[in-house]
Amino acid sequence: MESIDELAVGPCVASQYLRPFRLRYRQNGISKLWDFMRTHDSVSILIFNISRQCFVVVKQFRPAVYMCEMEEQRPQCFENKTAESWCPLSDFLPASKGITYELCAGIIDQPELSLEEIACKEILEECGYEVPLTSLKRITSYRSGVGVTGSKQTLFYAQVTDDMKSSEGGGQPEEGELIEVVEIPLQDSMKFAFDETFPKTMGVIFSFMWFQSNIAPKLLEK
Amino acid sequence: MESIDELAVGPCVASQYLRPFRLRYRQNGISKLWDFMRTHDSVSILIFNISRQCFVVVKQFRPAVYMCEMEEQRPQCFENKTAESWCPLSDFLPASKGITYELCAGIIDQPELSLEEIACKEILEECGYEVPLTSLKRITSYRSGVGVTGSKQTLFYAQVTDDMKSSEGGGQPEEGELIEVVEIPLQDSMKFAFDETFPKTMGVIFSFMWFQSNIAPKLLEK
């Protein structure tokens, strides 16, 4: 699916995406320090295409996941990487090691938009479906990465039909997004959810299971 | 539950917990940059006490979650915080804003231990139960924070009895851990899982639901 090359790891002293801080505080009288990062909160959406009885998820190359694998399999690649220079990576793994299956999702970086508006925008940009705001169903919210970012994630459910498809999706290439839209047939979905050879987020596993308990019985009734 | 005071936010230029990097690469011919962090992989454990028919989870103050709330409700507290000086926080929120419910969990920072050994160690340290290695059941693994850390999380299930309780748990105070062990009765667990007034991780919600599908039916048979 993807080809990657010319990899180099460098310092990250200031980033508009990652803002590391240290909090000093006293808890029950004891002084403490904790390092954390400010990142954006986000929304994610479980999309079910009722015309074709399949989930619509996205698949993309994730540098952070890829570099986890690199550190595990090529530990030397991070040695002495706190210095200020860029260091080209040789002997790198195939891009497939950094590919994950995820729910359609987006960060909350436009305060003028509601969570639902951001969710609909992401569904259109990433997956190509035009979903009316009112048809989104809020599933729940939760905290992600409680040790590091603690950001709030809100999960929605959107039922779509083939008629609502207006474009190919795939993200915004001008922002460097290269997203592949993948359909997972309902009948294969629980097997897929627990098959660890397909790297995925907990959002995918959880929401597929939520669907089985909350939506599938109603579909059968119809 | 907790009292916090004397809060100050400072710079985090080097951290043994957070290691920010920037990856430069070419994907399908297009040059890209991505900021990411190296953190540790982790294990988490859904603990069910069969003697008292309840889940055993932990509750703790999370600075990262707390500071998310601070930024939302007191946006000025992060302004100009990229400078090098420490800045005391006034007008801060109560500690309760940073408390989350989580599965018993731990980072993988001892390469000589297996995932199962780390899981058993955490169950004892945090929740006070002595669980034999062989009684752990692997549920699945997944990727967390795919945009930022991409770390691998492995989820286990452990069934315990009151007889296996050997200490109070609560974490390692010498490492600054202040963990409260909380029992969630099975009969209230799905209501708790979807009640957003109790901030929690997706691991809690997912694993409670997994239990309903995979373990609860077998308990009823007995």
Side-chain angles (χ1 to χ4, degrees):
Chain A
M1 167 200 177
E2 304 286 358
S3 104
I4 51 164
D5 50 22
E6 294 184 11
L7 287 88
V9 179
C12 177
V13 283
S15 165
Q16 65 176 119
Y17 302 102
L18 312 182
R19 293 179 294 142
F21 291 103
R22 182 163 286 178
L23 180 67
R24 195 169 62 195
Y25 61 109
R26 225 168 50 144
Q27 184 177 9
N28 302 348
I30 299 161
S31 282
K32 294 187 171 189
L33 285 174
W34 192 274
D35 298 339
F36 67 100
M37 308 252 317
R38 287 300 302 126
T39 53
H40 291 288
D41 288 347
S42 67
V43 294
S44 56
I45 311 102
L46 172 66
I47 305 172
F48 182 68
N49 181 320
I50 198 160
S51 311
R52 279 208 302 289
Q53 298 281 303
C54 64
F55 294 107
V56 180
V57 301
V58 297
K59 190 174 151 185
Q60 60 185 311
F61 176 74
R62 288 297 199 171
V65 172
Y66 180 82
M67 295 307 282
C68 274
E69 289 291 306
M70 279 291 284
E71 182 159 43
E72 198 178 306
Q73 296 186 34
R74 310 272 192 275
Q76 70 285 3
C77 84
F78 279 98
E79 279 161 22
N80 312 316
K81 284 295 181 308
T82 45
E84 272 108 65
S85 59
W86 283 84
C87 182
L89 293 181
S90 55
D91 189 25
F92 54 84
L93 299 167
S96 59
K97 293 288 178 189
I99 302 261
T100 56
Y101 292 83
E102 307 167 20
L103 295 179
C104 169
I107 58 172
I108 300 173
D109 59 355
Q110 290 169 285
E112 71 281 10
L113 299 182
S114 68
L115 298 187
E116 287 78 5
E117 285 169 326
I118 293 171
C120 288
K121 199 161 91 47
E122 294 295 339
I123 297 172
L124 183 60
E125 279 173 14
E126 295 192 347
C127 301
Y129 289 93
E130 301 247 22
V131 171
L133 279 179
T134 51
S135 76
L136 282 181
K137 179 183 161 67
R138 183 189 178 106
I139 300 177
T140 193
S141 70
Y142 55 94
R143 292 287 172 173
S144 165
V146 288
V148 179
T149 67
S151 64
K152 191 172 183 173
Q153 320 279 316
T154 306
L155 176 60
F156 291 94
Y157 171 65
Q159 204 157 285
V160 301
T161 61
D162 280 347
D163 291 345
M164 292 157 85
K165 184 108 185 178
S166 67
S167 70
E168 282 308 301
Q172 297 185 288
E174 68 277 17
E175 290 186 8
E177 286 188 321
L178 275 171
I179 290 171
E180 187 183 338
V181 181
V182 179
E183 300 189 338
I184 311 285
L186 175 57
Q187 64 197 40
D188 305 336
S189 60
M190 292 316 293
K191 185 160 177 288
F192 172 83
F194 287 94
D195 183 342
E196 296 183 47
T197 63
F198 298 106
K200 62 183 82 67
T201 59
M202 165 135 288
V204 172
I205 313 174
F206 165 71
S207 63
F208 280 17
M209 192 172 251
W210 173 87
F211 182 95
Q212 289 296 336
S213 303
N214 293 274
I215 306 293
K218 292 175 201 158
L219 291 181
L220 281 174
E221 277 170 23
K222 283 177 191 165
Chain B
M1 169 201 175
E2 304 286 358
S3 106
I4 52 164
D5 50 21
E6 293 185 9
L7 288 88
V9 179
C12 177
V13 282
S15 165
Q16 66 176 118
Y17 302 102
L18 312 183
R19 293 180 294 143
F21 292 103
R22 181 163 288 178
L23 180 67
R24 195 169 61 194
Y25 61 109
R26 225 168 52 145
Q27 183 177 9
N28 301 348
I30 300 160
S31 282
K32 294 188 171 191
L33 286 174
W34 191 275
D35 298 340
F36 68 100
M37 309 250 317
R38 286 300 303 125
T39 53
H40 288 105
D41 288 347
S42 67
V43 294
S44 56
I45 312 103
L46 172 66
I47 305 172
F48 182 68
N49 181 319
I50 197 160
S51 310
R52 280 207 303 290
Q53 297 282 301
C54 65
F55 295 108
V56 180
V57 300
V58 298
K59 189 174 151 185
Q60 60 185 312
F61 176 74
R62 288 296 199 171
V65 172
Y66 180 83
M67 295 306 283
C68 274
E69 289 291 307
M70 279 292 284
E71 183 159 42
E72 198 177 307
Q73 297 187 32
R74 310 271 192 275
Q76 71 284 5
C77 83
F78 278 98
E79 279 161 21
N80 311 316
K81 285 294 179 310
T82 44
E84 272 108 67
S85 60
W86 283 85
C87 182
L89 293 181
S90 55
D91 190 24
F92 55 84
L93 299 167
S96 59
K97 294 287 179 190
I99 303 261
T100 55
Y101 291 83
E102 307 168 20
L103 294 179
C104 170
I107 59 172
I108 300 172
D109 59 354
Q110 291 169 284
E112 71 281 12
L113 299 182
S114 68
L115 298 187
E116 287 77 5
E117 286 167 326
I118 293 171
C120 289
K121 198 161 91 48
E122 293 294 339
I123 297 172
L124 183 60
E125 280 172 14
E126 295 192 348
C127 300
Y129 289 93
E130 301 247 21
V131 171
L133 278 179
T134 51
S135 76
L136 281 180
K137 179 184 160 66
R138 184 191 178 104
I139 300 177
T140 194
S141 70
Y142 54 94
R143 291 287 172 173
S144 166
V146 288
V148 180
T149 67
S151 64
K152 191 172 184 172
Q153 320 279 316
T154 306
L155 176 60
F156 291 95
Y157 171 64
Q159 203 156 286
V160 301
T161 61
D162 280 347
D163 291 344
M164 293 156 84
K165 183 108 184 177
S166 67
S167 69
E168 283 309 301
Q172 297 184 287
E174 68 278 16
E175 290 187 9
E177 286 187 322
L178 275 171
I179 290 171
E180 187 182 338
V181 182
V182 179
E183 298 188 339
I184 311 285
L186 176 56
Q187 63 197 43
D188 305 337
S189 59
M190 292 317 291
K191 185 159 176 288
F192 171 83
F194 287 94
D195 183 343
E196 295 183 48
T197 63
F198 297 107
K200 61 184 82 67
T201 59
M202 165 133 288
V204 172
I205 313 175
F206 165 70
S207 63
F208 281 17
M209 191 171 249
W210 174 87
F211 182 95
Q212 289 296 337
S213 303
N214 292 275
I215 306 293
K218 292 175 200 157
L219 291 181
L220 281 174
E221 278 171 23
K222 282 178 190 164

